[in-house]
Structure formats: C-alpha cells, structure tokens
Amino acid sequence: MVSTNSNKPTYEEYIEKPLERFDQKNEAFKRARWDDALVPAGKKFYGIHEPQTRPGFTRLDYALHEASWYLERGFARGTLGPNYGLFSWQSVDPKLTSSLPEGRIEVQDPLLMARQVKKVAKLCGADLVGICAVDPRWFYSHIFNLRTREHTPFEPPTECTSAIVMAHAMDYEMTKSSPTLVASSTTGFGYSMMAYGAGLMGHFLRGLGYKAIPCGNDTALSIPLAVDAGLGELGRNGLLITEKYGPRVRLSKVFTDLPLAHDKPVNLGVQAFCETCKKCASTCSAQAILDGDRITDRRSISNNPGMAKWPVDAEKCFSFWSQNGSSCMTCIRACPFNKVPGKIHDMTRWTIKKTTAFNKFFVWVDDLFDYGKKESAAKFWEE
Ligand code: SF4
Ligand code: SF4
C-alpha cells in the first residue's frame, strides 16, 4: 500500500548522504556557455536556425516559438540570471509603489493570509499554488549569471521564511508533437507565465510592505520547493509530477517574509508508480533517463548527489535538443500522469494514490491505448 500523506516530503526517505547546495554553473544550460563538453551543442542550439518544410519547424512554428518566449526573454530573463525585470527583487520603478503608504500590514492570521495570497496567485495566472518553509538547501550555492558572466557565491536570504510556489500548466495538445517547436512553444508560454505570475505576486507582496524575491529557474531549485509546498512529487523523468497536470507544468516561486501558513507535502503514489512504469526512459530518444534502479551518485556534474533517484543525463538530453533543433518534452508527453482530467483518468490517479496493486495494469492499459504517442505538429495547426 502507498503510505498516507505525512508532514514529510516523499524524497526524504531516499536521502542517503547530506545534500550539498547545487552550483548553478553546473546546470546544463549554463554549461553550454563554458564547458567544452556542451559548448558545441550550445552554439548549435542557440544559433540561427533556418525554417524548414517539415512540420514543427516551419516559419509559422518559429514565429509561434518566438512569441511564446517574449515575456521571459524581453522582460524577465530568469534563464540568464536573477534579479532582472519582472524577477527584480525591488520594484523596477519606485514610482510604481509611490502611491502606497509606508510600513507593513499586521498579519494576525497566517492561515487567512495564505488563503488570500493563493487567491492572488490564481489571478496572477497560477494553475496550482502551494506555500512552504524556506529550506536553505534548495538555494544555489553559487549563481552563474549569463548576462554578466559572473560566477558568485550566494548566501540565502535569511529574512525570507516562506516560498510561494506556483505551477503554470502547459497546453496538453501542444505537448503531443514533442520534440518540435510547437511543443517547445508551450514551454515558452510556460516561462512567460512564470515571469508574469512571479512578477505580479512579488509586486503584491511589496504592496503589503513585505520583501519579495520573485524567481523563475534562477536563485533556487524549483522542484524540491514545489514538493515541499505540496504541489507534487519528483518523478523518474526528473520533473515534478502534479496530481492534476502530471509533469506538464512550469514552476515559479516567490520568497517572502510575509507571515504565511505552510502546506504539507503530498504522496500521490508517484514514487512507487515510477518503479514500475519507465515509459519516459523507453521513449527518450537520447536515452538520458535511467530505466533501472535509483542511484545515489551523479551521472554528471549537472546532478546533485546524495539522494537515491533517477538522475537525468543532462549531457545526452541537451545534446539531443541541439541535434533536434528544438527543445524536447517527450518525457512529459509519454508520462501516464500527463492526461487531461476526466472520470477514468481521475479515478486512475486516485487509485495510484491509494494502492500500488494496479500499477502494472495501468501501465499496460496506457500502452494498449497508445497514450503519449507522437502526433504531427501539422495537426496542431489544422485543428
Ligand atoms: S527532454 Fe527529451 S531528451 Fe531530455 S530527458 Fe526528456 S525525453 Fe529525453
Ligand atoms: S513516464 Fe512513468 S516512470 Fe516516467 S515519470 Fe512518468 S510515471 Fe514516472
């Protein structure tokens, strides 16, 4: 039987050695700028691409892709570094807060405040939101800023006691054509929503007189924060698996000193299901996902050792993206949790949460109905 939800996140039982904070310089996208093992792939991936006639790589697809990333690339740039534009740690213009009174509101009831913050999060475009205590282990030990090329040690902001973690769902239909620019565009829209959501939430918190550090993928690891905030669990594919959207989400977070009640981590049965399933591993063109047992060591410097899990081989993954000409989300497309809500799917998710007894059967049915198979990007434009 799957254990019931407890106050502990489900990764806890797999921690075998003390976890070190991760140096952001070792993340694959940053390595693509300094590590000879990934620089050639990075040059190709970030270089100019000519539109083609094959579906998913036409001029229409490129235009969609550029549009999807516009908010992140133009006004946030969290993929490059922290504390810029919509991810600024202060208001981008003091005039924008000049109409507000000095000082902070008194928070008498952190539970009510958390409810109100979650309401605002939904208005800021979050599809899921949770709040957790700040665990300093999840902050990067060093920041590698691609805007300035600086690599600097990072001290966690001790005054921030809570992280508001928001999940931004990606479009189900668009994931079906992975790995193409159509599927990659839903990632781009997700990143733009991260900038929009965290930026607006940060400004709301400042309006209450509190500190706000809005982030995309910068500053700290999003997945463990999302697990701590009760949004889901870590899957074999190295992604957060949520109950409603599976791995089809992008994550933003805002660190704050506003007094807030915290959510509890959840147990969706993902850990046990991933032991049986392995669909992400078998469909990954780069063979970047382990199809065997969990390991505690890292496969490359892009992994953080110490926890028994299925570390993704970032070199193989990113090299495939480069060769393919667009990012990939086949490990999202193929995942049985990547389904839209519906009576049968919801019942399956509920059963997986309660018992492991039918896991093999559910994977078999998933294969039988060919769920997660690739569809042409042309279909996306035709429908
Ligand atoms: S993104 Fe694509 S290449 Fe990378 S691990 Fe997932 S399926 Fe494999
Ligand atoms: S595809 Fe299967 S093994 Fe991979 S993350 Fe999803 S449930 Fe886990």
Side-chain angles (χ1 to χ4, degrees):
M1 292 288 282
V2 173
S3 61
T4 52
N5 290 346
S6 74
N7 288 333
K8 285 194 174 167
T10 51
Y11 60 71
E12 280 283 358
E13 65 175 292
Y14 299 105
I15 295 179
E16 295 180 355
K17 295 178 197 161
L19 301 179
E20 304 272 320
R21 283 164 59 205
F22 186 68
D23 184 341
Q24 196 189 17
K25 187 181 179 188
N26 293 333
E27 181 211 277
F29 302 109
K30 306 295 181 287
R31 287 175 63 199
R33 301 296 171 107
W34 66 265
D35 185 343
D36 288 345
L38 284 178
V39 166
K43 279 192 179 145
K44 197 169 167 198
F45 184 71
Y46 295 113
I48 295 171
H49 298 261
E50 289 299 325
Q52 303 165 25
T53 50
R54 65 176 168 136
F57 296 88
T58 65
R59 179 66 187 260
L60 191 66
D61 300 315
Y62 274 105
L64 176 71
H65 194 251
E66 288 303 311
S68 72
W69 281 92
Y70 189 48
L71 212 53
E72 150 62 19
R73 289 184 179 160
F75 306 96
R77 302 186 189 167
T79 49
L80 303 184
N83 198 4
Y84 178 87
L86 285 160
F87 292 139
S88 293
W89 295 4
Q90 279 88 35
S91 180
V92 284
D93 180 349
K95 280 194 227 108
L96 293 174
T97 44
S98 60
S99 63
L100 290 165
E102 293 281 317
R104 331 177 117 179
I105 63 156
E106 282 267 329
V107 178
Q108 308 287 358
D109 183 349
L111 193 61
L112 174 64
M113 194 71 246
R115 277 213 304 275
Q116 290 165 336
V117 160
K118 287 180 182 179
K119 196 168 199 163
V120 175
K122 293 284 166 90
L123 296 170
C124 295
D127 293 293
L128 303 170
V129 56
I131 303 172
C132 63
V134 173
D135 184 333
R137 288 178 302 177
W138 309 141
F139 283 103
Y140 293 128
S141 66
H142 295 70
I143 302 283
F144 189 68
N145 190 319
L146 283 179
R147 282 194 304 274
T148 60
R149 303 288 164 138
E150 286 168 328
H151 179 233
T152 42
F154 181 67
E155 281 307 316
T158 46
E159 68 278 29
C160 290
T161 45
S162 297
I164 301 159
V165 189
M166 294 179 275
H168 309 274
M170 296 184 283
D171 184 85
Y172 177 62
E173 296 303 321
M174 290 169 85
T175 63
K176 289 180 178 172
S177 72
S178 172
T180 65
L181 287 169
V182 168
S184 188
S185 297
T186 195
T187 300
F189 284 118
Y191 271 80
S192 284
M193 286 308 295
M194 286 156 60
Y196 175 83
L200 268 58
M201 174 57 79
H203 208 57
F204 171 68
L205 299 169
R206 282 179 214 122
L208 300 176
Y210 287 86
K211 193 171 179 63
I213 299 180
C215 316
N217 287 351
D218 57 282
T219 311
L221 298 167
S222 295
I223 294 175
L225 284 163
V227 174
D228 292 352
L231 297 188
E233 288 183 80
L234 177 67
R236 180 186 285 271
N237 55 7
L239 302 171
L240 179 80
I241 311 277
T242 65
E243 183 162 18
K244 191 166 177 191
Y245 305 102
R248 194 172 18 94
V249 293
R250 294 288 153 186
L251 299 167
S252 66
K253 67 262 184 184
V254 186
F255 297 102
T256 185
D257 54 354
L258 177 71
L260 293 167
H262 297 152
D263 293 296
K264 285 183 189 168
V266 292
N267 186 340
L268 307 175
V270 167
Q271 301 307 315
F273 194 82
C274 287
E275 303 275 359
T276 306
C277 170
K278 308 179 183 180
K279 281 191 78 162
C280 50
S282 61
T283 48
C284 172
S285 306
Q287 295 174 320
I289 301 174
L290 286 177
D291 66 356
D293 294 336
R294 296 163 185 270
I295 58 171
T296 311
D297 292 333
R298 58 190 186 180
R299 296 174 80 189
S300 77
I301 56 169
S302 291
N303 307 125
N304 216 10
M307 187 191 297
K309 58 183 179 185
W310 300 281
V312 172
D313 188 324
E315 286 166 25
K316 286 185 179 171
C317 173
F318 187 71
S319 298
F320 173 74
W321 290 22
S322 169
Q323 200 186 353
N324 180 57
S326 89
S327 71
C328 165
M329 55 162 64
T330 301
C331 47
I332 293 178
R333 185 192 89 207
C335 181
F337 287 101
N338 176 37
K339 296 211 177 65
V340 286
K343 266 189 194 155
I344 293 182
H345 299 326
D346 293 348
M347 205 185 299
T348 306
R349 283 186 270 253
W350 182 86
T351 310
I352 290 170
K353 208 162 34 166
K354 298 290 171 196
T355 174
T356 57
F358 304 101
N359 284 356
K360 258 191 191 155
F361 171 73
F362 289 141
V363 177
W364 179 76
V365 172
D366 209 82
D367 285 337
L368 186 72
F369 283 94
D370 237 354
Y371 278 118
K373 72 163 194 270
K374 186 181 175 188
E375 286 186 2
S376 168
K379 199 172 168 207
F380 165 76
W381 290 110
E382 284 158 13
E383 283 175 346

